[in-house]
């Protein structure tokens, strides 16, 4: 499955190597986040680091920047072995990172953010004129002319990002890591950022560019490293890797014309759609998406990370408000302004981040299961203890939740069982439509199969399911219809026999309009 | 396994044990303190009956610990939502001022006086809850407003005077007795019973714990998190008002400056000693009462050992720091690491 | 926007309210607009001012210090006792008191940082502890008859402005207040430590990623606050000519209220010591108004201060909401 990377040492002399990481591994309790990964960045190149959720991109970056310590492997920068123990040390060595959420201090000025912690002083007092001069000099290297006395928080995210880059330059960075820098930028701002990136590349910096926008990778990147499930898939020249191949490498499926679509007896019941969303939009998150789900149908939302999958789920469930568009449930237009409204209309939602947004960790399995039903009944109509026990036992039984007892705190269960508890919480409310965001992420194979079987049973019971997953294979297996998203828009809708991994990959990889 | 009745019984037994386990620490602390007194404070356990009433040091502790206990009960609910209410002392002063003023002016029937005082507490609680749940101001800051302004409001009510009253009905609240025990003890017990019923027989308890443990997840489950938080502060306000009534009745005067002074600190301490974490989630009403009794016993012990009430704040501070350290995630992590060798 | 960035809006609001209050006072009351009244405003609020300087550091860093009042009371009784009972020189007593403040503050900061405990709880414990310690030193108020404190420090050390027919004497306490404000302004605006205080309060996570010494900053902030509280205690002692372990209960709230009224954000990161000084003066003016009015009773101070705190909280919230939208 993994083609041997082309010999990259050819042509590029040894001197061009800026960063050489060999056999990097990192384990967290229960997960091997990074498994013997090599990563090379040359001087004067923009190197895209690609991969889906759980591929190990952020772990790799955190090892390079000293946020985590590596378990094994070696890192050379400019030929020197390095082992940064903190972001501060990494920066001193010449590795600077600019994060998507821009880790600067919003209420201080631009000049200060560039010089913070390294202000030139005389007799212990900061020389502000010098601070501003140096800030202007760093910005000038990006050919930017900003009022450096301005408060950073008042600037656009794009400017904040450029300021963060200027800070890195002021610290004499050799390797600049840009982590999802374009996620919150519009087209013009992205173009400006790319201009700056190219300029820095031409000045000899090595730039690591993490993104999930395919078009952007091909616009700026010279080379691409793809990770998947904590392993290196390969290192490629951007010019010699097609989009389709890239998508295939990222999702772990080879494009093949021959593979037959599986049996499709999974079409919905037809008639009045259970859920019908028209022109659903939210600025910066979702752009005019039409979506409908029938009774007894599993509809999948496919697309790469950041394509708007989760954002759609949040709009439907009333967590975020749509800026535009309408939702109808069973033909009646409804306004969903909070999760409470959504639950009242018979919707259910299991969030992507199970720990932070799903489980109530210190409460018991029983309490977690009855929570949504009890919330719908209100404070005063309490479900009796006996009925709670009965519900909990029934779902523990039906969903095969492995827990020592219903009174065990849910935090002590495995990920797969926590997910089943969340499903049980919603099934207790007898929902019409379940929105499942990455229900199998971080779950072992056995539990994964059980959850897939469950989804099929829910469909069989006549419920609607909206399934979000980064696993193409899983989507294709489970869904009778697939909505494919790219860059916050719907780019294709595949029905019945057309649902195949190939078709999804093609739709994602197709050039921007 | 799930249907094995034996497993079921042992599961429920374990759950009961787990619930009781949280009371062990406050109970143990209290027991140690009592044991110390049994050994070193003569007459500490002496109780006698006069005129059908119990008298003695223990009765005193129960009597004076009731006020703090009642405030701590309300505070428990607020802390369960991972908030805190700094204004309870000021609310005690306002409610006391309202009651005393109404009684002195003889403007209303006695039940109306009681209702007036409690309604004042309710209003104060709703105000705090509104700031926290609607305006999303952090609890320390939001309740600070009433903490600063509250005593001024109390003085506004009493016109700046210390209103003394010998009204027998008002005096009965603190001075009366029921079944040989002072009435405040009964009131505290009633407050505990009422809150325990309200939280455990409705789903309020579950909602409070869910919101305090993970507010986002609770909201996503369709829970009205803001309403729950509002309710918690409202209850805390009413509890503080009740304590304020008892205080007025006890000293037979409304003193806007000193009524309930520093009670917020003692109440928070009582709740924390009682096993409820400041980070919210699981809460223990009985634990908070035990915590209040511990603090009152500590104060009384000092007093009987001729340590002035002022100096008695030193051991209290040491208790706060110890309890804090035991609850600190850093210390807990270290203890856990030692127990589970790698 | 560049003339008045949003972060300066609260302090402008304070200045405007203060100016308005002073104008109204001058128009309404006969003797309001006099040097003596203004001098008294400074003298009466000097120790609050010094304490507010310390509270500004803590609040800017995103923390809170509830031990202020206790430390002031402790310092006053410590100095009184050292001078009157132990026969120490007043300057020695003052030095001991200041050293205690620094050490105590740093200890609180270390506990807060090392064990990730909530600041309000640790400083609450500190408040209890120090209040009790004060009573251990001496259980009642203790007058100071030491000539050095009574005469040298209070009279000779005052500094006379050549204004008016007899000049305006500025007592040492006011000099200490103004000096503390000036020093704090320099530290906050012109040292790396000062800037780190802002950064830690604004976004601790970013500050850590930017390589700032977060631990040292946090401990430093509480040490500065302890020093300021002790210094406020010294000023209080000079002002009262006595030490009293029971004094200044609830004083920390006044200091926090003054800081908030001065436009410092309670969540940290935004504010200035100049603003806090205006806040202290506003606090004092509110009290003066109530005195001058005669018919208004003293408790109105608390209500008005509470209302002002609320108004400033609202302004801060609105500003935060607007910057987040940007």
């Amino acid at each position: 499955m993994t083609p041997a990377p082309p010999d990259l040492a050819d042509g590029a002399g040894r001197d061009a190597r800026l960063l050489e990481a060999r056999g990097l591994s990192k384990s967290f309790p229960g997960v091997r986040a990074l498994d013997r990964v090599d990563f090379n960045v040359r001087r004067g190149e923009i190197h895209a680091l690609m991969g889906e959720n759980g591929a190990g991109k952020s772990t790799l970056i955190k090892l390079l920047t000293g946020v985590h310590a590596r378990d094994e492997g070696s890192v050379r920068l400019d030929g020197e072995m390095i082992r940064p123990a903190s972001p501060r040390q990494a920066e001193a060595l010449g590795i600077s990172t600019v994060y998507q959420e821009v880790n600067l201090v919003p209420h201080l000025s631009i000049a200060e953010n560039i010089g913070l912690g390294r202000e030139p002083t005389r007799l212990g007092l900061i020389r502000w004129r010098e601070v501003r001069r140096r800030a202007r000099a760093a910005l000038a290297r990006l050919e930017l002319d900003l009022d450096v006395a301005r408060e950073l928080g008042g600037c656009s995210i794009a400017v904040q990002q450029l300021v963060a880059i200027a800070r890195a330059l002021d610290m004499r960075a050799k390797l600049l890591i840009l982590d999802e820098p374009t996620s919150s930028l519009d087209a013009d701002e992205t173009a400006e950022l790319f201009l700056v990136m190219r300029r820095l590349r031409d000045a000899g910096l090595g730039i690591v560019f993490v993104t999930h926008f395919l078009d952007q990778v091909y616009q700026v990147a010279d080379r691409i490293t793809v990770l998947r499930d904590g392993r290196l898939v390969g290192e490629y020249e951007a010019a010699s890797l097609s989009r389709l191949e890239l998508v295939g490498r990222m999702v772990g499926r080879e494009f093949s014309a021959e593979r037959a679509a599986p049996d499709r007896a999974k079409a919905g019941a037809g008639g009045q759609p259970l859920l019908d969303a028209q022109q659903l939009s939210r600025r910066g998150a979702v752009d005019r998406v039409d979506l409908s789900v029938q009774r007894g149908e599993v509809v999948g939302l496919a697309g790469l990370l950041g394509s708007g999958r989760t954002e759609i789920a949040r709009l439907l469930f009333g967590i975020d408000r749509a800026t535009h568009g309408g939702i109808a449930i069973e033909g009646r237009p409804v306004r969903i302004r909070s999760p409470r409204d959504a639950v009242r209309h018979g919707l259910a939602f299991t969030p992507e981040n199970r720990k932070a947004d799903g489980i109530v960790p210190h409460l018991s399995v029983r309490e977690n299961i009855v929570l949504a039903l009890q919330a719908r009944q209100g404070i005063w109509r309490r479900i009796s203890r006996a009925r709670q026990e009965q519900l909990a036992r029934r779902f523990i039984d039906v969903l095969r939740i492995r827990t020592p007892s219903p009174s065990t705190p849910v935090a002590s269960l495995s990920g797969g069982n926590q997910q089943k508890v969340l499903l049980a919480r919603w099934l207790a409310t007898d929902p019409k439509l379940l929105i499942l965001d990455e229900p199998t992420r971080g779950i072992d194979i056995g539990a994964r199969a059980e959850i897939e079987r469950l989804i099929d049973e829910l469909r069989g019971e006549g419920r609607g399911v909206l399934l979000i997953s980064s696993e193409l294979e899983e989507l294709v297996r489970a869904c009778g219809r697939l909505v494919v998203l790219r860059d916050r828009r719907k780019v294709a809708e595949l029905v019945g026999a057309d649902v195949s991994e190939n078709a999804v990959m093609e739709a994602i990889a197709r050039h921007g309009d | 396994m799930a249907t094995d009745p034996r497993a079921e019984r042992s599961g429920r037994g374990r759950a009961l044990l787990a619930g009781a386990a949280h009371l062990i620490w406050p109970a143990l602390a209290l027991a140690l303190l009592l044991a110390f007194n049994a050994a070193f404070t003569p007459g500490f356990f002496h109780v006698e009956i006069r005129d059908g009433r119990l008298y003695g040091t223990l009765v005193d502790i129960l009597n004076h610990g009731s006020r703090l206990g009642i405030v701590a009960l309300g505070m428990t609910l607020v802390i369960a939502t991972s908030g805190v209410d700094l204004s309870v002392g000021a609310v005690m002063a306002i409610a006391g001022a309202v009651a005393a003023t109404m009684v002195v002016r003889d403007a209303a029937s006695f039940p109306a006086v009681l209702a007036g005082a409690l309604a004042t507490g309710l209003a104060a609680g709703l105000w705090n809850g509104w700031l926290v749940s609607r305006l999303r101001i952090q609890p320390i800051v939001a309740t600070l407003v009433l903490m600063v302004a509250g005593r001024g409001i109390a003085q506004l009510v009493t016109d700046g005077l210390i209103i003394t009253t010998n009204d027998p009905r008002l005096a009965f609240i603190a001075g009366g007795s029921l079944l040989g025990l002072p009435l405040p003890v009964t009131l505290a017990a009633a407050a505990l019973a009422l809150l325990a019923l309200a939280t455990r027989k409705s789903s309020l308890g579950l909602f409070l714990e869910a919101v305090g443990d993970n507010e986002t997840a609770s909201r996503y489950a369709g829970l009205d998190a803001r309403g729950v938080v509002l309710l918690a502060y409202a209850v805390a306000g009413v509890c503080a008002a009740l304590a304020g009534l008892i205080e007025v009745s006890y000293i037979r005067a409304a003193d806007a400056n000193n009524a309930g002074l520093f009670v917020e600190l003692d109440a928070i301490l009582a709740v924390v000693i009682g096993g409820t974490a400041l980070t919210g989630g699981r809460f223990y009403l009985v634990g908070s009462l035990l915590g209040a009794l511990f603090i009152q016993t500590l104060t009384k012990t000092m007093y009987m050992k001729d340590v002035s009430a002022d100096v008695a704040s030193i051991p209290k501070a040491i208790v706060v720091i110890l309890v804090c350290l035991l609850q600190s995630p850093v210390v807990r992590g270290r203890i856990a690491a030692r127990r589970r060798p790698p | 926007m560049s003339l008045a960035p949003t972060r300066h809006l609260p302090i402008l609001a304070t200045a405007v309210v203060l100016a308005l209050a002073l104008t109204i006072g001058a128009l309404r009351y006969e003797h309001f607009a006099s040097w003596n009244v203004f001098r008294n405003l400074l003298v009466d609020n000097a120790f609050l001012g010094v304490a507010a300087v310390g509270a500004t550091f803590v609040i800017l860093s995103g923390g809170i210090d509830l031990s202020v009042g206790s430390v002031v009371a402790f310092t006053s009784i410590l100095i009184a006792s050292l001078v009157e009972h132990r026969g120490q020189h007043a300057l020695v007593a003052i030095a001991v008191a200041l050293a205690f403040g620094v050490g105590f503050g740093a200890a609180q900061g270390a506990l807060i940082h090392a064990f990730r405990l909530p600041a309000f709880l640790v400083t609450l414990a500190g408040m209890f502890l120090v209040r009790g310690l004060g009573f251990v030193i001496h259980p009642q108020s203790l007058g100071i008859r030491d000539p050095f404190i009574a005469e040298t420090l209070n009279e000779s050390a005052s500094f006379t402005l050549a204004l008016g027919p007899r000049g305006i004497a500025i007592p040492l306490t006011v000099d200490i207040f103004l000096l503390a404000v000036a020093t704090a302004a320099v530290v906050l605006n012109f040292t790396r430590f000062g800037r780190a205080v802002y950064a830690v309060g604004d976004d601790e996570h970013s500050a850590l990623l930017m390589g700032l010494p977060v631990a040292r900053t946090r401990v430093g902030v509480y040490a500065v606050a302890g020093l300021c509280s002790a210094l406020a205690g010294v000023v209080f002692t000079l002002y009262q000519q006595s030490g009293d372990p029971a004094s200044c209960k609830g004083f920390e709230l006044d200091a926090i209220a003054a800081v908030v009224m001065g436009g410092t954000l309670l969540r940290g990161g935004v504010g200035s010591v100049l603003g806090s000084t205006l806040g202290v003066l506003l606090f004092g003016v509110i009290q003066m108004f109530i005195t001058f009015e005669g018919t208004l009773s003293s408790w109105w101070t608390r209500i008005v201060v509470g209302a002002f705190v609320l108004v400033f909280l609202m302004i801060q919230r609105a500003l935060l909401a607007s910057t987040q939208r940007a």
Side-chain angles (χ1 to χ4, degrees):
Chain A
M1 192 151 53
T2 308
D7 190 357
L8 292 161
D10 273 3
R14 282 207 74 77
D15 292 341
R17 297 218 160 167
L18 175 62
L19 179 88
E20 291 177 81
R22 291 277 165 274
L24 286 186
S25 294
K26 177 71 187 177
S27 295
F28 297 105
V31 207
R32 190 149 172 93
L34 212 58
D35 191 5
R36 282 164 291 151
V37 166
D38 296 347
F39 185 54
N40 301 294
V41 183
R42 297 178 193 157
R43 234 181 290 280
E45 76 164 355
I46 297 176
H47 194 126
L49 181 59
M50 307 287 293
E52 279 288 83
N53 270 328
K57 287 174 299 184
S58 51
T59 309
L60 175 58
I61 290 173
K62 283 176 179 159
L63 293 190
L64 295 178
T65 54
V67 175
H68 295 317
R70 58 187 183 246
D71 296 345
E72 358 171 328
S74 65
V75 178
R76 282 173 190 276
L77 185 74
D78 264 343
E80 302 270 324
M81 289 289 261
I82 58 163
R83 199 183 187 92
S86 68
R88 193 177 195 182
Q89 277 187 21
E91 287 195 325
L93 290 165
I95 302 178
S96 286
T97 314
V98 176
Y99 297 93
Q100 179 189 348
E101 66 274 23
V102 194
N103 282 298
L104 294 177
V105 184
H107 288 101
L108 298 185
S109 70
I110 290 177
E112 220 180 331
N113 269 291
I114 292 175
L116 197 63
R118 293 167 287 108
E119 299 96 337
T121 58
R122 183 187 293 138
L123 302 172
L125 297 185
I126 295 173
R127 297 158 61 201
W128 282 112
R129 204 182 295 257
E130 182 65 11
V131 170
R132 285 191 291 269
R133 193 193 60 72
R134 268 171 53 174
R136 272 192 290 266
L139 288 167
R141 286 183 63 190
L142 305 178
E143 295 187 22
L144 286 174
D145 184 21
L146 299 171
D147 174 9
V148 294
R150 250 185 95 183
E151 196 174 303
L152 182 83
C155 304
S156 69
I157 298 287
V159 169
Q160 298 193 18
Q161 245 151 13
L162 294 173
V163 170
I165 294 175
R167 175 177 170 86
L169 292 183
D170 189 49
M171 300 183 72
R172 300 195 179 77
K174 300 174 196 161
L175 180 72
L176 184 62
I177 302 174
L178 304 177
D179 189 2
E180 305 264 13
T182 56
S183 300
S184 11
L185 307 190
D186 66 25
D188 290 346
E189 292 169 334
T190 305
E192 166 138 20
L193 178 69
F194 286 173
L195 211 65
V196 166
M197 284 166 65
R198 292 198 189 96
R199 213 172 276 145
L200 294 176
R201 170 189 61 192
D202 297 343
L205 251 74
I207 298 177
V208 178
F209 178 42
V210 182
T211 185
H212 45 253
F213 294 112
L214 290 187
D215 290 348
Q216 296 183 358
V217 170
Y218 285 99
Q219 273 177 46
V220 287
D222 303 303
R223 290 194 305 148
I224 302 172
T225 289
V226 179
L227 302 181
R228 192 179 63 245
D229 297 334
R231 298 205 178 143
L232 176 68
V233 176
E235 188 178 303
Y236 314 93
E237 295 290 336
S240 61
L241 184 74
S242 75
R243 279 155 193 272
L244 208 51
E245 285 171 313
L246 174 56
V247 173
R249 304 271 194 280
M250 286 169 67
V251 299
R253 313 296 295 171
E254 291 302 311
F255 184 82
S256 64
E258 296 83 37
R259 188 175 292 156
D263 174 39
R264 304 265 135 227
K266 297 177 178 173
Q272 185 80 274
L274 196 52
L275 171 100
D276 190 18
Q278 295 291 330
Q279 297 287 298
L280 205 57
S281 306
R282 180 178 164 84
R283 202 167 299 124
V286 178
D287 192 5
R288 284 163 290 160
V289 170
D290 294 342
L291 183 75
S292 75
V293 184
Q294 308 275 343
R295 232 176 278 281
E297 185 185 34
V298 182
V299 175
L301 282 181
L304 297 178
L305 190 66
S307 57
R309 301 175 308 197
T310 298
E311 289 76 2
I312 289 178
R314 292 172 63 92
L315 288 184
L316 291 176
F317 202 62
I319 295 166
D320 297 326
R321 303 269 184 93
T323 45
H324 191 72
I327 300 172
I329 288 178
E330 294 180 317
R332 276 199 324 266
V334 292
R335 295 191 66 183
I336 298 180
R337 276 174 291 185
S338 68
R340 260 165 91 69
D341 288 349
V343 174
R344 223 172 286 137
H345 289 298
L347 303 192
F349 172 58
T350 64
E352 177 183 21
N353 192 341
R354 198 166 47 231
K355 273 216 170 68
D357 308 332
I359 60 168
V360 184
H362 298 100
L363 296 196
S364 67
V365 170
R366 169 178 57 79
E367 287 163 309
N368 269 281
I369 289 178
V370 301
L371 193 60
L373 181 62
Q374 182 67 72
R376 201 172 62 185
Q377 295 205 357
I379 284 189
W380 306 116
R381 286 175 52 214
R382 176 174 177 265
I383 304 167
S384 74
R385 179 66 184 245
R387 174 91 184 108
Q388 289 188 20
E389 291 280 341
Q390 193 192 341
L391 273 172
R393 280 179 193 290
R394 194 177 96 214
F395 284 110
I396 287 173
D397 212 32
V398 173
L399 304 186
R400 292 192 219 139
I401 300 171
R402 269 172 290 277
T403 171
S405 90
S407 46
T408 307
V410 83
S412 63
L413 303 192
S414 73
N417 284 304
Q418 291 180 355
Q419 191 67 49
K420 289 186 194 167
V421 168
L422 289 187
L423 278 173
R425 175 190 290 171
W426 290 115
L427 292 181
T429 68
D430 192 18
K432 294 177 193 149
L433 174 78
L434 291 102
I435 305 167
L436 309 178
D437 194 353
E438 300 278 9
T440 61
R441 173 173 318 155
I443 288 178
D444 64 70
I445 308 260
R448 193 176 284 222
E450 281 184 66
I451 287 181
E452 286 187 25
R453 179 181 53 78
L454 259 165
I455 292 173
D456 201 49
E457 280 174 22
L458 296 176
R459 187 188 58 77
E461 289 166 10
R463 301 179 206 277
V465 177
L466 186 64
L467 179 64
I468 299 173
S469 173
S470 323
E471 309 263 336
L472 261 191
E473 205 188 333
E474 179 178 295
L475 281 177
V476 168
R477 261 201 312 271
C479 302
R481 202 144 52 87
L482 268 182
V483 170
V484 185
L485 302 166
R486 194 186 63 210
D487 297 358
R488 302 157 191 158
R489 290 199 195 153
K490 175 161 148 183
V491 290
E493 179 156 343
L494 310 168
V495 187
D498 291 340
V499 174
S500 73
E501 291 172 32
N502 288 345
V504 175
M505 285 192 277
E506 270 176 319
I508 294 175
R510 212 179 297 141
H511 258 285
D513 322 314
Chain B
M1 172 194 132
T3 48
D4 180 356
R6 261 177 313 168
E8 193 171 329
R9 219 173 299 129
S10 77
R12 193 169 301 168
R14 223 177 296 140
L16 266 180
L17 271 182
H22 282 275
L23 295 181
I24 285 181
W25 294 108
L28 200 66
L30 188 58
L32 273 176
L33 200 53
L34 291 175
F36 169 85
N37 281 306
F40 300 106
T41 316
F44 194 86
F45 286 87
H46 179 76
V47 174
E48 59 178 16
I49 303 176
R50 264 184 271 148
D51 312 328
R53 270 190 81 163
L54 293 167
Y55 285 91
T57 310
L58 286 180
V59 181
D60 271 2
I61 290 174
L62 282 177
N63 190 2
H64 293 291
S66 310
R67 257 169 296 163
L68 175 59
I70 290 170
V71 177
L73 285 174
M75 184 74 82
T76 309
L77 302 195
V78 170
I79 290 182
T81 67
S82 72
V84 72
D85 185 352
L86 296 181
S87 72
V88 283
V91 173
M92 273 179 76
I94 301 175
V98 167
T101 313
M102 284 173 86
V103 163
V104 169
R105 291 204 188 137
D106 207 12
S109 66
F110 192 65
V113 170
L114 297 182
L118 295 181
T120 311
L122 179 67
L126 288 174
W127 162 259
N128 284 329
W130 179 72
L131 289 179
V132 173
S133 69
R134 290 281 151 166
L135 300 192
R136 307 203 71 77
I137 297 176
Q138 38 319 11
I140 296 181
V141 178
T143 54
L144 187 74
V145 174
L146 198 54
M147 187 184 184
V148 171
R151 292 192 183 279
I153 295 173
Q155 281 175 318
L156 187 67
V157 173
T158 62
D159 220 10
L161 305 168
I162 293 181
I163 295 189
T164 53
T165 164
N166 277 318
D167 187 279
R169 295 165 304 177
L170 196 58
F172 183 74
I173 298 174
S177 66
L178 198 73
L179 302 173
L181 281 173
L183 195 57
V185 180
T186 318
L187 287 174
L192 171 68
L194 201 69
L195 282 181
L197 271 178
T199 52
R200 299 303 173 196
K201 288 297 158 192
S202 79
S203 55
L204 179 60
L206 173 66
F207 288 0
L208 283 167
E209 295 185 337
V211 168
D213 198 18
N214 187 341
E215 190 184 334
T216 311
S218 306
R219 227 162 4 95
Y220 288 5
L223 227 142
D224 178 12
R226 292 197 290 192
V228 170
V229 170
L230 185 69
L231 197 58
Y233 283 91
V235 170
V238 174
C239 284
L242 180 58
L245 264 176
I246 298 174
E247 177 125 340
V248 161
S249 163
Y250 179 68
I251 58 172
R252 303 195 176 200
D255 180 351
N257 274 325
N258 294 311
L261 195 65
F262 296 133
V263 76
E264 52 277 345
L265 315 182
D266 282 355
I268 294 168
L269 182 54
V271 174
V272 175
I273 292 175
T276 305
L278 276 171
T279 45
R282 290 276 188 222
F283 65 92
Y284 306 95
L285 292 168
V286 177
S288 298
L289 271 192
L290 286 179
L293 282 181
F294 174 83
I295 293 171
Q296 190 61 42
T297 310
L298 188 65
T299 311
K300 187 80 184 173
T301 308
M302 297 283 171
Y303 178 73
M304 293 181 78
K305 290 279 160 210
D306 281 334
V307 178
S308 82
D310 302 309
V311 178
S313 68
I314 295 177
K316 227 186 250 178
I318 293 169
V319 171
V320 176
I321 292 170
L322 284 179
V323 173
C324 277
L325 285 179
L326 284 176
Q327 279 209 358
S328 139
V330 178
V331 174
R332 289 204 165 174
R334 275 183 206 160
I335 292 171
R338 196 161 300 169
R339 268 192 207 153
R340 244 186 287 112
Chain C
M1 171 96 193
S2 62
L3 265 180
T6 47
R7 65 182 154 148
H8 293 323
L9 223 65
I11 193 178
L12 282 177
T14 315
V16 168
V17 171
L18 186 60
L20 261 175
L22 289 173
T23 315
I24 292 173
L27 293 177
R28 201 178 154 109
Y29 310 111
E30 211 178 323
H31 303 291
F32 196 91
S34 70
W35 272 109
N36 261 338
V37 170
F38 190 69
R39 181 179 162 275
N40 284 344
L41 179 65
L42 289 177
V43 171
D44 293 342
N45 293 289
F47 71 106
L48 175 63
V50 175
V53 167
T56 308
F57 273 84
V58 177
I59 293 175
L60 276 177
S61 79
I64 200 157
D65 184 358
L66 299 177
S67 70
V68 180
S70 294
V71 174
V72 169
F74 175 82
T75 313
S76 75
I77 193 65
L78 179 68
I79 293 173
S81 161
L82 282 178
V83 171
E84 295 294 316
H85 293 163
R86 299 288 164 89
Q88 296 289 342
H89 191 274
L91 287 179
V92 174
I94 288 173
V96 169
L98 294 182
F100 168 82
V102 174
F104 176 72
Q108 290 194 130
L111 270 177
I112 290 166
H113 188 83
F115 296 99
R116 275 177 268 151
L117 297 176
F120 89 93
L121 250 185
V122 171
T123 55
L124 196 61
M127 165 187 182
F128 276 129
L129 186 75
V130 178
R131 181 64 70 183
L133 287 179
F135 282 97
V136 170
I137 289 180
H138 192 78
Q140 292 110 28
S141 171
L142 179 61
I144 298 177
R145 280 179 297 274
D146 178 70
F148 186 77
I149 286 187
E151 283 151 33
T152 316
L153 287 184
N154 260 343
E155 283 160 30
S156 322
S158 67
F159 156 90
T160 307
L161 277 178
L163 278 169
R166 275 170 297 148
I168 307 286
I170 309 276
L172 183 65
T173 54
V174 176
D175 295 336
I176 293 178
F177 168 33
L178 298 178
L179 202 67
V181 170
T183 312
V186 169
V187 168
L188 282 175
N189 288 307
F190 289 95
T191 66
R192 287 187 184 171
F193 168 71
R195 302 321 288 172
V197 170
Y198 280 92
V200 168
D202 203 0
D203 188 336
E204 183 179 340
H205 181 67
S206 286
L208 204 62
L209 284 180
M210 289 169 92
L212 295 180
V214 174
R216 213 190 319 149
T217 306
R218 168 131 327 128
V219 175
V221 156
Y222 284 92
V224 168
L227 174 66
C228 286
S229 298
L231 192 59
V234 171
V235 171
F236 179 74
T237 313
L238 294 179
Y239 175 67
Q240 297 275 335
Q241 296 288 306
S242 69
D244 182 359
S247 58
C248 293
K249 281 184 181 164
F251 178 62
E252 49 280 339
L253 293 182
D254 295 351
I256 294 170
V259 172
V260 174
M261 288 197 293
T264 296
L265 237 59
L266 263 173
R267 55 160 279 278
V270 178
S272 65
V273 74
L274 181 66
S276 299
T277 310
L278 293 182
V280 168
L281 293 182
L282 185 56
F283 193 101
V285 169
I286 293 169
Q287 277 179 323
M288 267 170 52
F289 255 77
I290 278 143
T291 324
F292 267 84
E293 192 56 44
T295 57
L296 276 181
S297 321
S298 62
W299 56 85
W300 275 102
T301 311
R302 309 230 84 188
I303 298 176
V304 175
V305 167
F308 268 111
V309 167
L310 186 69
V311 168
F312 275 91
L313 283 179
M314 299 291 183
I315 296 179
Q316 293 179 0
R317 240 191 75 79
L319 288 183
L320 273 185
S322 72
T323 49
Q324 271 161 7
R325 232 175 284 132

